[in-house]
Amino acid sequence: MTRQTSGNGQIYQSVVDTVGNTPVIRINRLGPKNVNLFVKFEAFNPAGSVKDRLAMNIIEAAEASGALKPGQTVVEATSGNTGIGLAMVCAAKGYPLVITMAESFSIERRRLMRFLGAKVVLTPKEQKGTGMYNKAKELAEANGWFLASQFETSANADIHENTTGREIMADFAGTKLDYFVTGYGTGGTVSGVARVLRRESPGTKIILTEPANAALVQSGTAQERTENGGPAGTHPAFEPHPIQGWTPDFIPLVLQEALDNGYYHDLIPVPGPEGIAASKDLAQKEGIFTGISGGSTFAVALKVAADAPEGANILCMLPDTGERYLSTPLFDGIDADMDEEELALMRATPGYHLG
Ligand code: PMP
């Protein structure tokens, strides 16, 4: 029978109202057969990532408190998804936006933000996350702009408590959730979702992951902070890693809540190449097109699945869409030209050959 759809039963008043309520989807072909693997696919957000949630709440919390005035410029340091989310929200609500970003992040992220009307100021890659962070602060202070402060603001974990966590509880009503697997960038996802799971689903084990070559949490070394909770410098365990959006060169204050309260049951670092391979597998064997952090989280979910008891239900966060990574190692080996097999197919019938 032909499938039918029935609409959302409402007309959305703004694109911002479409943030959240992303689907949880069963994985059917990857992983062991004796457990149930699910992904929460954040690419369904209007600007394509989990950070749309945070962007919406940073702006709306600041509107409510009066910290952000009508027409005031918003400024933020971001490796991409927060900038794209903020650009979407600021465009919809009429705020100018300036993003600071290390030059090492993917070209398409810069162009996406500029397409959405933001200004993007690049900072030297040698100065890493701290460089772009300090530049945003400097610009905010010099111009009287509103600094979004994704790494410190309570608006970050709060929105994951009120939306992501609530959605998971609703979608798993009647299904026991045994494991929740996530990485961290700011830590907003893990801190906010963990508040809900600890309170309402204490049997769910929270598995945190980070890049194997930048295992800041696993190192056990505390982050030095300034008076507002921001980083006082680069964490000694940091090394550049390919998992964009994960683990900046410091332990964010928003993540510190999860560490201080023991919100996670296990920490399983993952090498970037494993994450890239898992992202390709998700695309090619499940039709689920997510970025490097989604693949990395899924690679860890597969490790959890291998040791999980019979019938366990495992939920894995997929933070964004893979379309954001065309110029990155995720697409290495994915050529624009025909490979041998494709050339052979072309030659196999008489017509329509390329010269
Ligand atoms: N993956 C990607 C691609 C991201 O952009 C982010 C956010 N920086 C995350 C994962 C982690 O999310 P959070 O900031 O909530 O820890």
Side-chain angles (χ1 to χ4, degrees), residues 50-51 81 160 183-189 244-246 293 319-320 325:
V50 68
K51 305 311 288 262
N81 281 328
H160 289 287
Y184 67 85
T186 61
T189 305
Q244 288 190 28
W246 269 17
S293 70
D320 71 353
Y325 299 86

Side-chain angles (χ1 to χ4, degrees), residues 266-280:
D266 205 357
L267 176 70
I268 307 180
V270 60
E274 271 185 43
I276 288 173
S279 169
K280 281 188 182 153

Side-chain angles (χ1 to χ4, degrees), residues 11 24 31 33 43 46-47 56 61 67 77 93 106 134 161 168 175 181-182 186 189 206 300 313 346 350 353:
I11 291 168
V24 168
K33 288 284 162 265
M56 171 179 71
K93 288 175 175 276
S106 76
N134 289 337
E161 179 180 10
I168 292 168
T175 305
V181 188
T182 183
T186 61
T189 305
I206 297 169
V300 172
N313 295 315
M346 180 188 75
H353 287 200

Side-chain angles (χ1 to χ4, degrees), residues 49-51 54 78-82 109 150-151 156 160 182-190 243-247 255 291-294 297 318-320 325:
S49 90
V50 68
K51 305 311 288 262
L54 157 86
T78 158
S79 65
N81 281 328
T82 297
R109 292 182 182 223
Q150 59 166 332
F151 293 105
N156 187 346
H160 289 287
T182 183
Y184 67 85
T186 61
T189 305
V190 66
I243 312 175
Q244 288 190 28
W246 269 17
T247 313
L255 176 68
I292 302 174
S293 70
T297 315
L318 300 184
D320 71 353
Y325 299 86

Side-chain angles (χ1 to χ4, degrees), residues 3-349:
R3 295 187 194 217
Q4 275 189 11
T5 53
S6 54
N8 291 311
Q10 64 174 306
I11 291 168
Y12 293 96
Q13 298 303 305
S14 158
V15 70
V16 179
D17 297 342
T18 69
V19 171
N21 278 329
T22 55
V24 168
I25 306 169
R26 169 184 279 279
I27 296 300
N28 295 299
R29 300 178 63 207
L30 296 171
K33 288 284 162 265
N34 65 333
V35 300
N36 302 305
L37 269 168
F38 304 95
V39 294
K40 187 163 173 63
F41 196 16
E42 292 295 308
F44 277 80
N45 282 299
S49 90
V50 68
K51 305 311 288 262
D52 292 359
R53 299 172 186 269
L54 157 86
M56 171 179 71
N57 200 40
I58 283 181
I59 299 302
E60 292 188 342
E63 285 175 335
S65 74
L68 178 61
K69 307 279 183 295
Q72 191 181 356
T73 296
V74 176
V75 58
E76 182 61 335
T78 158
S79 65
N81 281 328
T82 297
I84 295 164
L86 279 172
M88 177 267 294
V89 174
C90 287
K93 288 175 175 276
Y95 298 101
L97 174 66
V98 176
I99 294 299
T100 62
M101 181 171 161
E103 58 183 332
S104 44
F105 295 108
S106 76
I107 304 278
E108 51 267 46
R109 292 182 182 223
R110 295 181 209 167
R111 297 186 72 198
L112 277 167
M113 286 183 249
R114 289 183 175 134
F115 194 89
L116 282 158
K119 294 285 173 211
V120 181
V121 176
L122 300 176
T123 57
K125 59 176 178 296
E126 299 75 35
Q127 294 173 10
K128 299 175 237 177
T130 340
M132 60 199 233
Y133 177 87
N134 289 337
K135 184 69 187 176
K137 238 172 80 182
E138 196 177 275
L139 283 168
E141 282 160 15
N143 297 295
W145 291 346
F146 172 72
L147 181 63
S149 302
Q150 59 166 332
F151 293 105
E152 293 86 35
T153 180
S154 58
N156 187 346
D158 286 355
I159 194 64
H160 289 287
E161 179 180 10
N162 281 352
T163 66
T164 325
R166 294 253 58 79
E167 292 164 27
I168 292 168
M169 290 311 299
D171 292 353
F172 280 88
T175 305
K176 183 168 165 280
L177 179 58
D178 298 292
Y179 298 91
F180 172 71
V181 188
T182 183
Y184 67 85
T186 61
T189 305
V190 66
S191 291
V193 171
R195 286 181 196 165
V196 179
L197 291 179
R198 277 309 187 78
R199 195 166 58 224
E200 298 176 29
S201 184
T204 304
K205 289 194 168 64
I206 297 169
I207 313 296
L208 189 64
T209 173
E210 60 185 354
N213 70 329
L216 273 55
V217 174
Q218 194 181 50
S219 77
T221 306
Q223 177 66 47
E224 288 178 26
R225 300 191 186 283
T226 59
E227 68 290 345
N228 74 341
T234 290
H235 191 282
F238 182 80
E239 265 186 52
H241 60 78
I243 312 175
Q244 288 190 28
W246 269 17
T247 313
D249 66 321
F250 56 92
I251 296 176
L253 188 67
V254 173
L255 176 68
Q256 195 66 48
E257 173 185 339
L259 309 185
D260 291 347
N261 293 290
Y263 281 167
Y264 64 93
H265 298 75
D266 205 357
L267 176 70
I268 307 180
V270 60
E274 271 185 43
I276 288 173
S279 169
K280 281 188 182 153
D281 269 353
L282 275 172
Q284 296 175 7
K285 301 196 176 106
E286 297 283 344
I288 293 177
F289 187 25
T290 189
I292 302 174
S293 70
S296 302
T297 315
F298 189 72
V300 172
L302 287 175
K303 292 179 206 280
V304 171
D307 296 330
E310 187 78 23
N313 295 315
I314 303 165
L315 175 63
C316 165
M317 286 300 288
L318 300 184
D320 71 353
T321 166
E323 264 179 41
R324 216 142 274 180
Y325 299 86
L326 287 165
S327 70
T328 75
L330 185 61
F331 274 75
D332 281 358
I334 308 289
D335 294 324
D337 294 327
M338 285 187 273
D339 65 12
E340 284 309 316
E341 202 181 332
E342 290 161 340
L343 284 168
L345 281 170
M346 180 188 75
R347 293 179 192 124
T349 55

